[in-house]
Amino acid sequence: MKKALVILLNLAFLTVFAQVPQAIKYQAVARNNGGAILLNQSIGLQLSILSDSSLGPVVYAEIHQLTTNAYGLINLEIGRGAIVSGNFAGIDWSRGLFFVKMEIDENGGSNYSFLGITQLVSVPYAMYANSSGIPKMTDAQRD
């Protein structure tokens, strides 16, 4: 009985740590409207995930209050900001194209100016996960 309980607890522990993180790493250099790098400055960012096209509906939006470093660099994780709308974990990534819309308030507030929109594309880790590390079988091996 004791061994069975230990095994169940270990399986539960492994299941917890085997989950895919619900976030996307994002790094950028913050610039003002004139293109000057914002050094050691508090900024406000709003990131929205759009579906289907660069003009598509917002399926998730969040805000971040950050401070750039001495090089104007910011690091954040999309999916871990203050939620404006939607549910990051509920996005069905299999249903088509997705885009990230970025807006900034260079004074650290919430008066956002449009920065741009970029399409989310596959990364090597996701392409590997698609095949699950299993080599493809030939027709002869399947038969």
Side-chain angles (χ1 to χ4, degrees), residues 19-28 45-49 60-67 73-84 88-89 91 93 100-102 120:
Q19 301 300 316
V20 175
Q22 292 297 314
I24 300 169
K25 297 260 186 207
Y26 182 79
Q27 184 179 65
L45 273 182
Q46 179 165 294
L47 297 127
S48 304
I49 296 181
Y60 176 78
E62 68 182 18
I63 56 174
H64 292 263
Q65 298 299 319
L66 305 162
T67 301
L73 190 67
I74 55 166
N75 290 291
L76 61 93
E77 292 181 350
I78 301 172
R80 297 209 171 134
I83 298 171
V84 173
F88 189 81
I91 297 172
W93 297 105
V100 176
K101 177 181 176 183
M102 295 155 280
L120 291 171

Side-chain angles (χ1 to χ4, degrees), residues 11-107:
L11 287 175
F13 180 77
L14 289 174
T15 302
V16 169
F17 286 100
Q19 301 300 316
V20 175
Q22 292 297 314
I24 300 169
K25 297 260 186 207
Y26 182 79
Q27 184 179 65
V29 173
R31 297 177 183 268
N32 65 14
N33 286 338
I37 296 174
L38 302 173
L39 308 173
N40 299 312
Q41 187 168 331
S42 293
I43 62 169
L45 273 182
Q46 179 165 294
L47 297 127
S48 304
I49 296 181
L50 314 175
S51 68
D52 304 323
S53 75
S54 60
L55 300 174
V58 174
V59 294
Y60 176 78
E62 68 182 18
I63 56 174
H64 292 263
Q65 298 299 319
L66 305 162
T67 301
T68 64
N69 70 10
Y71 303 102
L73 190 67
I74 55 166
N75 290 291
L76 61 93
E77 292 181 350
I78 301 172
R80 297 209 171 134
I83 298 171
V84 173
S85 66
N87 177 354
F88 189 81
I91 297 172
D92 182 1
W93 297 105
S94 69
R95 60 169 278 275
L97 303 175
F98 290 92
F99 296 79
V100 176
K101 177 181 176 183
M102 295 155 280
E103 299 168 280
I104 188 172
D105 181 336
E106 60 188 71
N107 297 312

